[in-house]
Amino acid sequence: MDYSWLLIASILVFFMQAGFLCLESGQIRSKNSINVAAKNISDFIIAAIIYWVFGFALMFGDSLGGVLGTNLFFVGEQQSPYQISFFLFQMMFCGTAATLLSGAVAERMSFMGYLCIAAILSAFIYPVAGHWAWASNYQAANQGWLEQLGFVDFAGSTVVHSLGGCVALAAIIVIGPRIGRFDSQQELPNGSNLPMSVLGALLIWLGWFGFNGGSTLVMTDQVPLILLNTCLAAVGGGFVASLCHYWHKRYVDVGTILNGVIAGLVAITAGCHAVTPKAAMLIGMIAGVILYFGSLWMEKLKIDDALGVVPVHLFAGIWGTLAVALFADLSVLGTGLTRSDQLLAQLTGVLAICGYSFGLSFLLLSLVNRFFPLRVSAEDEHLGMNISEHNASTELISLLGAMNKQELDGGFSQPVKVEPFTEVGQIATQYNKVIKRVHSEISNRDSAINKFKFSEKRKSAILNSSMDSIVTIDLSGAIIEFNPAAERTFGYSKNMVINKNFIDLFILEADREDVRENLAYKFLSAQGLVRNHRNSLNLARHLASEFPAEITITGASFGSEMQNEFTLHIRDITRQLKLQEKLKLLAYSDPLTGLYNRTYLMDSLTKAINHNAHSDQNVLMFFMDLDRFKKINDTLGHKAGDDLLCEVATRLISVTRSTDVIARWGGDEFVILFIEAVNHGFIDDKAKEILNVMRQPLALEGRVISIPTSIGIATAQPGITTAAQLVQQADIAMYSAKQHGRDNYQVFEAEMGDQAARNFNLEQDMRKGIAAKEQFFMVYQPKVTADNQLVGLEALMRWQHPQEGLISPSDFIPLAEESSLIIELGEFAILTVLRQMRCWLDSGYEKVIVSINISGKHLVSDTLVPYIFELLSRFDIDGSAIEIEITEGVLLTDIDRCIEVMSDLKSLGIKISIDDFGTGYSSLTYLKRLPIDVLKIDKSFVDECATSSEDGKICATIINLAINLELTTVAEGVETQAQLDFLAAHSCNAYQGYFFHKPNSAQVIEKLLQREAVPA
């Protein structure tokens, strides 16, 4: 009979149902074991009914465009014995795919919700995906669309296992993790019966022989090799997975071995008929690695997969399907594809089936969950699904219920019911013994408390009323009296300390020998604790904490027959010291951050400088300023700014020593004073450590930001540098760090002082130069097409200093940026350019678009748009004749404000250009929101675009991006023919650079305009 092998294989696959039941039952908590059994039998019933009615028809019926079948409903009446055997075999596959879900959603999904998922998979997902890949298995000419592409999945690594894994992933995402699964305070147990889980894995392994071997559909010569490959892959997966776990955790985990075996079985399923045994072993071993690290990744993402279904079946299934193209004998596959084309076909199949399975199941489950919750309540989850879902109970649950009732009622006198001849009965018996002993102890405690109360009433009035602790000891240190104040102070009752040694109990270990010596001399020695004096000493109290105390000792002698006694009057002076410390703190600390303030820092610095003059000890200062702190204050508010300053203080404390002095200098400036163990290596290491800790992300008012910091470093020269000079030098070095791009550190050098003085003078001269309106002027650099046709000009500012001559914009623009002068320079540039444009227009030249560079500070000011509007009206120039250029970094300040201003400019007809694009934080997120017209490619990319593949790709990417966004591109710094050829080949629109024109005066540009006006 040609169908006998199919029937045997079907029976073997059916054994996998028992395997999955045992595996899951053993690896979940016993309070959910009945629910597991109910799910495993029920999902098979649901899957079998649906598959019989219409699932088989959708999967193997006459194909509708290779997407799904259209006949063969209600199988069995019209089919031959072989066809019925084929149906039974495929029905087992459908049941297996449905059962995979159970392990993933265990312990928190309702029974009805689970059946709903099983029905969705059996009805809408598995048959359709199966038709795509396997439709011709029943009717040779009836191919699904994936089969037509050459997709091969022999026994279902993807069609069955990855598909089931995708549905499982969608389900666990929708219902969420088990309570306490990712709680660091507790850890869920790893199963209730691991031997049963092992039995389940072995049954699954047995069933897999039918799963893979039966997929030949008849007994052929291939079957032995298929079974061997199946076994080898399982062995390889289990071995490597256990090795990974041992390497990571240093012990062998049974659950990992079991999942490794199943991962190997899943992976080999797709190609077991077409690979060699060596390849099968390798496929299984790689599946073990994928399983282990896939499980770690799932945990990192906090996706709760109770039995590891997703890494075992989804991840390993995907790997196994792709491995067909890598290891299979292509002649055995018979697809006629090359290995690379086969890999593409396999990848297409994986993406199609997984995308369809996950997408449809996630959509349907989310919809169902919205109206019919798929998850049980938190109370039912804690109680266990045996009871909540199936109203079932066990002896253990009955015992726990009785114990819970005792806890709620507070009645421990009555024993719980004992069920004889069971393990739970033995536990109940022992518990009854415990509560009997507890009852006895409670009675003894009550008796002791009553005795203590009577003793308290007999205390003397003086001892009871004293606010100070009064302790009487004998010559050996044994405690004789201990008043109520002492009990409160030390945290011990009198009964606990009577006749015990005062020194051993309450004197700190470092002082015990000295106090014993004082006691031996009856507190009459010249040093240490002395009679009739107020002595200060730290004492210990309950739980090993200590407190400062003031101790007055009086002594009494009762004759030679009795030992001396000493009465210690002890007062806890913690409050007094805290008050003193608080007063000191108010004088020397910053009220916001809790750090030292400027007063304390200067006192400490002065002392260190004075000491440094007579020693070889170094004094080192770090002066720090938070970059762009004002923008955070303005954008997120002052409370966010205060929170940020407190976080800075916390981070600085974490990277400094207790001997270092950290102070808030004022605003967003902080100073650290280092005195001990300071050398050159320490300076570099500590500065880098501070910069790194400040760069770590911080969540503030719903945004994630970093805290870039500029650090200036200065070291005092012994006997030369004063405290004020050291602060000034560190401050100058900090400004040098800002000039070097911020978020770095600079060590003070003498040249920095000279540069600071020069910058100060330049700033003053700049202010005078702007007022004089003679020193600053504009030059213009043409923008041209590839054939040197003029399309625009860029206006560039120059400064002719009366003494120093021509000063580079790179020197004076940053200085202007640090003050309000940048806005005055910007307004000067706009006025000069528009006046010049009016002259050109009056001279009869055609309109030429001129670009004007505007700073970020000027852009977000309230004056820019009204000023431009007024000048356009004054000179009667259309807004379309000018273009505003802003650098990419400006957009990091206040993107919403930038968009608002740019939109206002656009309403005037003005074009917007982004300068230096690609050098900052290029982001499509803001690029798609901005009303811009032009992207300028920075010169740093253009320089080597024709010789460096990396720069070439960047330029090409920017141009393509601009084309897709319908923007114009302008390349800056074009200096060679090779650069021009490369950029032109990639469709760049316009060019600037010395290859065409240098920046020139308006008079020279006018000659160019004349040339452009003459017809060619």
Side-chain angles (χ1 to χ4, degrees):
M1 293 186 294
D2 58 356
Y3 54 84
S4 59
W5 174 234
L6 266 181
L7 292 176
I8 294 171
S10 299
I11 294 170
L12 288 174
V13 176
F14 188 67
F15 268 103
M16 293 175 70
Q17 294 294 328
F20 283 120
L21 170 61
C22 293
L23 179 67
E24 184 179 350
S25 296
Q27 289 197 309
I28 54 91
R29 290 169 285 188
S30 59
K31 64 181 181 180
N32 299 307
S33 58
I34 295 173
N35 178 254
V36 170
K39 288 192 301 181
N40 275 263
I41 189 66
S42 299
D43 63 30
F44 185 80
I45 292 172
I46 294 293
I49 293 173
I50 292 175
Y51 199 69
W52 174 67
V53 174
F54 63 87
F56 185 81
L58 295 179
M59 191 165 177
F60 293 106
D62 293 341
S63 182
L64 180 62
V67 178
L68 51 83
T70 57
N71 63 335
L72 301 179
F73 299 95
F74 297 99
V75 176
E77 296 182 7
Q78 306 294 329
Q79 284 73 28
S80 68
Y82 172 81
Q83 291 173 328
I84 294 174
S85 301
F86 180 84
F87 165 77
L88 286 172
F89 185 62
Q90 293 299 329
M91 185 172 69
M92 298 303 143
F93 273 43
C94 182
T96 300
T99 302
L100 296 181
L101 300 169
S102 178
V105 300
E107 301 196 312
R108 76 269 202 199
M109 174 168 275
S110 69
F111 182 68
M112 296 306 297
Y114 175 77
L115 294 186
C116 178
I117 298 178
I120 289 173
L121 183 146
S122 303
F124 303 112
I125 298 176
Y126 175 73
V128 175
H131 184 84
W132 297 349
W134 287 350
S136 66
N137 287 358
Y138 187 75
Q139 302 178 73
N142 192 43
Q143 288 192 331
W145 71 272
L146 286 180
E147 283 185 286
Q148 296 170 19
L149 293 179
F151 176 69
V152 174
D153 187 5
F154 180 68
S157 286
T158 292
V159 175
V160 177
H161 296 280
S162 293
L163 180 147
C166 285
V167 178
L169 178 61
I172 57 182
I173 291 175
V174 170
I175 65 175
R178 290 167 289 176
I179 296 173
R181 172 63 178 88
F182 299 109
D183 187 351
S184 59
Q185 303 299 321
Q186 61 181 2
E187 193 169 323
L188 296 182
N190 293 325
S192 59
N193 192 336
L194 287 180
M196 179 176 286
S197 291
V198 174
L199 173 61
L202 293 174
L203 288 173
I204 292 171
W205 197 339
L206 172 64
W208 225 288
F209 289 132
F211 201 92
N212 288 353
S215 293
T216 60
L217 303 182
V218 292
M219 176 61 76
T220 67
D221 293 341
Q222 284 184 301
V223 172
L225 177 62
I226 290 173
L227 299 187
L228 174 60
N229 287 344
T230 300
C231 193
L232 289 176
V235 170
F239 177 70
V240 171
S242 62
L243 280 184
C244 289
H245 189 280
Y246 185 81
W247 169 77
H248 189 206
K249 298 292 182 68
R250 292 301 177 206
Y251 70 91
V252 177
D253 178 64
V254 176
T256 301
I257 297 175
L258 301 184
N259 281 346
V261 168
I262 300 174
L265 292 170
V266 170
I268 197 60
T269 295
C272 58
H273 67 304
V275 300
T276 65
K278 291 180 181 178
M281 174 64 79
L282 180 59
I283 291 171
M285 295 173 75
I286 295 175
V289 174
I290 291 173
L291 153 77
Y292 187 75
F293 289 99
S295 300
L296 295 181
W297 184 52
M298 294 278 287
E299 289 186 14
K300 185 176 182 180
L301 295 178
K302 294 190 176 181
I303 298 177
D304 183 14
D305 184 347
L307 262 66
V309 170
V310 173
V312 170
H313 295 275
L314 173 56
F315 298 166
I318 291 173
W319 154 242
T321 306
L322 297 178
V324 171
L326 303 178
F327 297 103
D329 184 341
L330 296 181
S331 63
V332 175
L333 295 184
T335 60
L337 300 177
T338 64
R339 197 166 293 280
S340 59
D341 288 339
Q342 188 65 52
L343 180 60
L344 179 61
Q346 298 300 103
L347 182 60
T348 301
V350 167
L351 293 176
I353 293 175
C354 290
Y356 172 74
S357 305
F358 179 82
L360 181 59
S361 58
F362 184 82
L363 176 65
L364 294 178
L365 292 178
S366 299
L367 187 63
V368 170
N369 190 54
R370 186 169 184 176
F371 301 100
F372 178 74
L374 298 175
R375 182 170 181 155
V376 298
S377 66
E379 180 181 354
D380 287 343
E381 186 174 341
H382 280 297
L383 182 62
M385 300 175 72
N386 292 348
I387 296 177
S388 64
E389 292 290 290
H390 308 287
N391 200 26
S393 185
T394 64
E395 297 168 358
L396 180 59
I397 293 174
S398 298
L399 173 60
L400 292 175
M403 294 168 66
N404 184 59
K405 187 175 186 304
Q406 283 187 336
E407 177 189 2
L408 295 175
D409 296 343
F412 297 97
S413 59
Q414 297 298 321
V416 299
K417 182 180 179 181
V418 175
E419 189 74 29
F421 311 116
T422 65
E423 291 183 359
V424 175
Q426 295 178 10
I427 296 173
T429 300
Q430 189 61 37
Y431 175 74
N432 286 337
K433 293 179 180 178
V434 171
I435 61 172
K436 183 177 180 182
R437 177 62 182 271
V438 169
H439 184 68
S440 174
E441 290 296 325
I442 291 174
S443 299
N444 292 336
R445 185 198 65 179
D446 292 342
S447 176
I449 290 175
N450 290 332
K451 291 179 180 179
F452 177 74
K453 289 180 179 179
F454 289 134
S455 175
E456 286 293 295
K457 291 179 181 179
R458 292 193 294 266
K459 285 185 176 180
S460 67
I462 296 177
L463 290 177
N464 285 336
S465 60
S466 175
M467 299 299 294
D468 290 342
S469 301
I470 299 177
V471 181
T472 302
I473 61 174
D474 62 18
L475 194 56
S476 66
I479 297 174
I480 301 171
E481 274 296 342
F482 202 74
N483 77 333
E487 291 178 325
R488 293 190 295 271
T489 299
F490 289 100
Y492 290 95
S493 67
K494 179 178 179 179
N495 288 343
M496 296 170 69
V497 299
I498 288 297
N499 296 323
K500 293 185 179 179
N501 192 279
F502 178 84
I503 296 174
D504 293 337
L505 282 176
F506 303 123
I507 301 297
L508 301 181
E509 186 174 358
D511 300 322
R512 286 175 188 168
E513 289 303 318
D514 292 338
V515 174
R516 283 196 179 95
E517 185 176 347
N518 294 152
L519 177 59
Y521 283 99
K522 301 182 180 180
F523 299 112
L524 295 173
S525 58
Q527 296 180 343
L529 297 181
V530 182
R531 287 197 205 180
N532 303 319
H533 281 77
R534 292 183 177 179
N535 304 277
S536 297
L537 190 69
N538 280 2
L539 300 178
R541 66 170 108 231
H542 186 53
L543 297 179
S545 64
E546 58 183 85
F547 66 96
E550 184 180 87
I551 308 173
T552 303
I553 305 172
T554 58
S557 177
F558 299 98
S560 58
E561 295 183 359
M562 299 185 65
Q563 291 185 342
N564 290 65
E565 292 182 2
F566 303 94
T567 301
L568 282 59
H569 298 258
I570 302 170
R571 177 173 296 173
D572 184 347
I573 57 172
T574 301
R575 287 187 178 181
Q576 293 92 313
L577 294 181
K578 283 185 177 179
L579 180 59
Q580 294 174 10
E581 190 65 29
K582 187 172 183 180
L583 293 174
K584 181 179 178 181
L585 191 64
L586 290 173
Y588 289 112
S589 69
D590 173 54
L592 175 62
T593 63
L595 299 176
Y596 292 117
N597 59 15
R598 184 184 298 195
T599 302
Y600 183 85
L601 175 76
M602 293 306 296
D603 288 348
S604 300
L605 178 58
T606 302
K607 292 176 184 177
I609 291 287
N610 293 337
H611 180 70
N612 185 37
H614 307 288
S615 70
D616 58 354
Q617 191 176 50
N618 290 326
V619 177
L620 171 68
M621 175 174 285
F622 280 23
F623 198 107
M624 295 172 291
D625 182 84
L626 308 184
D627 298 330
R628 301 186 179 92
F629 174 76
K630 183 177 184 301
K631 302 230 174 4
I632 294 175
N633 245 356
D634 294 343
T635 305
L636 302 181
H638 288 284
K639 181 182 182 303
D642 290 347
D643 293 342
L644 176 60
L645 294 174
C646 292
E647 175 63 20
V648 169
T650 301
R651 294 187 181 187
L652 291 180
I653 292 171
S654 71
V655 295
T656 51
R657 306 165 299 188
S658 59
T659 56
D660 303 331
V661 177
I662 314 172
R664 182 184 175 202
W665 186 255
D668 61 335
E669 295 177 329
F670 295 82
V671 177
I672 305 178
L673 182 62
F674 302 95
I675 300 173
E676 297 183 1
V678 175
N679 53 48
H680 185 73
F682 173 86
I683 293 174
D684 290 337
D685 293 342
K686 185 56 66 176
K688 291 175 182 176
E689 184 180 10
I690 291 174
L691 288 174
N692 287 335
V693 77
M694 299 298 275
R695 290 170 184 149
Q696 294 174 5
L698 167 68
L700 197 66
E701 296 294 329
R703 302 190 186 183
V704 178
I705 64 172
S706 60
I707 317 172
T709 306
S710 298
I711 304 177
I713 302 173
T715 305
Q717 299 181 42
I720 299 176
T721 309
T722 65
Q725 288 173 338
L726 186 63
V727 173
Q728 182 184 26
Q729 292 172 1
D731 191 24
I732 290 173
M734 182 270 291
Y735 275 101
S736 176
K738 286 186 175 292
Q739 292 169 356
H740 280 77
R742 305 176 185 268
D743 195 26
N744 69 92
Y745 70 94
Q746 297 293 323
V747 180
F748 176 80
E749 297 176 358
E751 294 80 1
M752 291 181 181
D754 299 337
Q755 184 63 42
R758 181 176 183 274
N759 289 344
F760 177 78
N761 293 333
L762 281 180
E763 184 178 336
Q764 303 307 310
D765 291 346
M766 196 187 315
R767 200 177 299 276
K768 296 175 184 177
I770 294 173
K773 300 181 179 179
E774 296 175 353
Q775 299 177 18
F776 290 90
F777 61 94
M778 305 302 293
V779 296
Y780 302 87
Q781 185 173 28
K783 300 178 186 176
V784 299
T785 61
D787 55 359
N788 204 14
Q789 293 298 309
L790 182 68
V791 294
L793 302 168
E794 180 179 3
L796 303 169
M797 183 171 290
R798 297 292 184 263
W799 181 15
Q800 185 69 37
H801 192 277
Q803 284 80 39
E804 298 192 20
L806 193 64
I807 296 179
S808 170
S810 62
D811 290 334
F812 71 83
I813 293 296
L815 291 177
E817 286 277 6
E818 294 178 4
S819 66
S820 60
L821 292 177
I822 193 64
I823 295 180
E824 296 183 46
L825 287 178
E827 292 181 346
F828 172 82
I830 296 169
L831 174 62
T832 304
V833 169
L834 291 179
R835 181 183 289 125
Q836 183 60 56
M837 292 178 69
R838 183 68 265 166
C839 290
W840 286 336
L841 291 172
D842 291 343
S843 298
Y845 300 119
E846 291 186 5
K847 181 180 73 174
V848 59
I849 299 175
V850 181
S851 301
I852 307 171
N853 291 281
I854 294 298
S855 75
K857 186 178 294 186
H858 198 179
L859 180 70
V860 298
S861 68
D862 294 330
T863 61
L864 177 64
V865 176
Y867 184 73
I868 292 178
F869 178 75
E870 189 271 329
L871 291 183
L872 289 174
S873 300
R874 184 198 305 179
F875 292 110
D876 191 23
I877 294 176
D878 188 80
S880 62
I882 65 172
E883 181 178 289
I884 297 298
E885 283 194 19
I886 59 175
T887 58
E888 188 179 3
V890 169
L891 304 172
L892 296 177
T893 54
D894 185 349
I895 184 67
D896 294 327
R897 176 59 180 157
C898 288
I899 292 174
E900 180 184 349
V901 175
M902 292 163 70
S903 298
D904 291 342
L905 292 172
K906 292 283 290 183
S907 68
L908 299 177
I910 298 171
K911 292 185 178 181
I912 307 295
S913 173
I914 300 298
D915 198 7
D916 302 336
F917 184 76
T919 61
Y921 297 83
S922 309
S923 170
L924 293 177
T925 304
Y926 74 70
L927 199 58
K928 70 179 182 180
R929 297 175 57 196
L930 298 173
I932 62 175
D933 304 281
V934 181
L935 290 184
K936 297 190 72 174
I937 307 173
D938 187 71
K939 183 180 183 300
S940 62
F941 301 129
V942 173
D943 284 343
E944 299 184 16
C945 68
T947 57
S948 167
S949 61
E950 181 178 3
D951 286 352
K953 290 178 181 178
I954 292 174
C955 290
T957 300
I958 294 174
I959 294 170
N960 288 333
L961 175 64
I963 292 172
N964 291 331
L965 294 177
E966 297 181 353
L967 304 177
T968 301
T969 49
V970 178
E972 296 181 304
V974 178
E975 297 179 353
T976 67
Q977 182 68 45
Q979 294 169 349
L980 174 61
D981 292 343
F982 177 86
L983 294 166
H986 287 83
S987 303
C988 183
N989 301 112
Y991 311 87
Q992 272 182 271
Y994 286 7
F995 184 74
F996 296 101
H997 302 280
K998 294 181 180 180
N1000 282 303
S1001 66
Q1003 293 74 18
V1004 175
I1005 295 299
E1006 189 168 331
K1007 294 179 182 179
L1008 179 62
L1009 294 176
Q1010 291 173 355
R1011 189 190 73 187
E1012 292 287 331
V1014 177

